[in-house]
Amino acid sequence: MALFSKIAESPIKEPVRRLFSGFEQMGAITRKPDTRTREEIIQTIDYYAEKIPEIKQFASEIKQLNTKHMGIIADTLELSTYRAMLPTNIDMSQISKRGISYRQAVVEDMIEASKTNPQAMELADAIINNTDSTTSKYVLEAMTGGIMKNKELANHMQETAKIVPNIAKEALDGPYLMDYHQQENFVNWLNVLIHPQTKPDKITSLFKDVVAFCEKQQENLVVEVNKFLESNTPKEKIQENLKVLPDVLKMLGDKVKDFDIVEFVTKNTNLY
């Protein structure tokens, strides 16, 4: 005769997922804002901590972070368990150069970034919310090289987060190629923008001012990205030069093919 009755274990509650529901669009996308409550995110963290052995050790620490950052980690764990039925599916349980899974490496870096470099979390959030699963996982894995902990580039990451939708459109446009060419383009953009020689105030200006201007013109204007990003010219001066640029382009006629738009908007000396 049993002296003690068996106590039934409480079942693990299902996670409150938000990223995937049906067919996933490829390339540049726009996900809806995270509207989960803190309790729902904690429930989601608890679920993945039970299902993913290497994450369980971090569960308590994750649940001490602010709600938004907890949500970003919950999204990352959801991403890591999502399998795209594509040749380019990325398995974040694979072992990274750090000797731990990419999934663990990303979560470890996010926990530290939440405490010491929140701008990196803004960037990760923007990437997840504006790119397909393949790109999000590819870029997050690339970020395990140490960028999320680099506080010296915090302003660069904060400004880059604002234009992730533009980068996604630029890098991911076109048909699915069954390789990582587009994802590599995305990372290349990040490497240029989040770089010590880049001036943080030029990051949003590149797309919001210069690229936006070029897209409205009939002329095929070439932008030397690095030259612009490394310029010391104040953004206000660049915007002033852009206002007079349409008249300059008309005046140039056939010579417009040799026109250096970056030279003009940063120095206003390139008058032929």
Side-chain angles (χ1 to χ4, degrees):
M1 180 178 178
L3 298 178
F4 298 95
S5 60
K6 185 177 181 180
I7 300 174
E9 295 182 1
S10 299
I12 304 171
K13 293 184 179 180
E14 286 295 308
V16 183
R17 302 181 179 92
R18 80 173 190 97
L19 302 183
F20 306 106
S21 57
F23 179 77
E24 185 194 20
Q25 179 183 336
M26 301 291 292
I29 62 176
T30 303
R31 300 190 191 278
K32 294 180 180 179
D34 190 351
T35 58
R36 292 173 293 187
T37 64
R38 185 173 181 86
E39 289 71 25
E40 289 174 328
I41 295 174
I42 289 174
Q43 176 179 321
T44 303
I45 297 295
D46 284 338
Y47 174 87
Y48 287 118
E50 287 298 320
K51 296 294 182 181
I52 307 171
E54 70 265 35
I55 298 301
K56 191 169 186 177
Q57 60 184 307
F58 303 107
S60 296
E61 195 171 5
I62 294 170
K63 289 185 286 186
Q64 293 174 16
L65 304 178
N66 71 56
T67 302
K68 181 177 181 179
H69 292 176
M70 277 177 47
I72 297 168
I73 293 176
D75 288 342
T76 300
L77 294 174
E78 181 180 349
L79 267 173
S80 77
T81 57
Y82 176 78
R83 177 174 176 80
M85 303 306 291
L86 299 167
T88 51
N89 178 67
I90 294 174
D91 183 0
M92 293 183 73
S93 69
Q94 295 295 310
I95 301 301
S96 69
K97 293 180 180 179
R98 286 159 57 173
I100 56 178
S101 71
Y102 280 105
R103 173 166 48 204
Q104 179 177 340
V106 173
V107 170
E108 281 186 0
D109 287 356
M110 283 185 169
I111 292 171
E112 183 172 340
S114 176
K115 300 172 182 177
T116 65
N117 194 22
Q119 293 86 347
M121 294 297 282
E122 292 180 32
L123 178 60
D125 187 46
I127 291 165
I128 293 170
N129 282 319
N130 291 281
T131 68
D132 62 274
S133 63
T134 298
T135 303
S136 289
K137 289 194 279 188
Y138 187 97
V139 179
L140 289 176
E141 287 191 1
M143 291 172 70
T144 59
I147 187 65
M148 296 193 74
K149 297 181 281 188
N150 191 334
K151 290 181 281 187
E152 293 182 2
L153 295 174
N155 289 339
H156 294 73
M157 285 183 266
Q158 183 177 46
E159 294 305 303
T160 299
K162 299 174 184 177
I163 57 165
V164 164
N166 304 86
I167 301 171
K169 180 181 176 182
E170 188 76 23
L172 307 178
D173 189 33
Y176 174 58
L177 302 174
M178 294 197 296
D179 61 20
Y180 299 111
H181 179 73
Q182 293 167 321
Q183 286 70 36
E184 289 172 2
N185 284 343
F186 194 103
V187 171
N188 288 339
W189 268 106
L190 295 183
N191 284 332
V192 170
L193 296 168
I194 307 171
H195 190 279
Q197 292 184 338
T198 291
K199 304 300 189 294
D201 68 313
K202 297 301 183 301
I203 293 174
T204 56
S205 182
L206 173 64
F207 282 99
K208 304 298 184 182
D209 296 325
V210 180
V211 173
F213 175 88
C214 292
E215 289 177 343
K216 295 176 183 177
Q217 305 307 307
Q218 294 181 342
E219 298 85 0
N220 184 24
L221 300 171
V222 177
V223 179
E224 291 188 47
V225 172
N226 290 74
K227 183 177 178 179
F228 179 81
L229 291 173
E230 294 171 15
S231 165
N232 289 313
T233 308
K235 186 168 62 173
E236 293 74 19
K237 179 62 176 175
I238 291 169
Q239 291 169 341
E240 288 178 15
N241 289 340
L242 284 170
K243 289 178 182 178
V244 302
L245 187 49
D247 292 331
V248 174
L249 295 176
K250 291 178 183 177
M251 181 184 71
L252 287 172
D254 292 340
K255 293 182 179 180
V256 73
K257 65 180 182 297
D258 300 317
F259 183 70
D260 187 336
I261 183 174
V262 173
E263 185 75 10
F264 180 82
V265 298
T266 56
K267 298 180 181 178
N268 197 355
T269 59
N270 196 10
L271 294 173
Y272 293 87

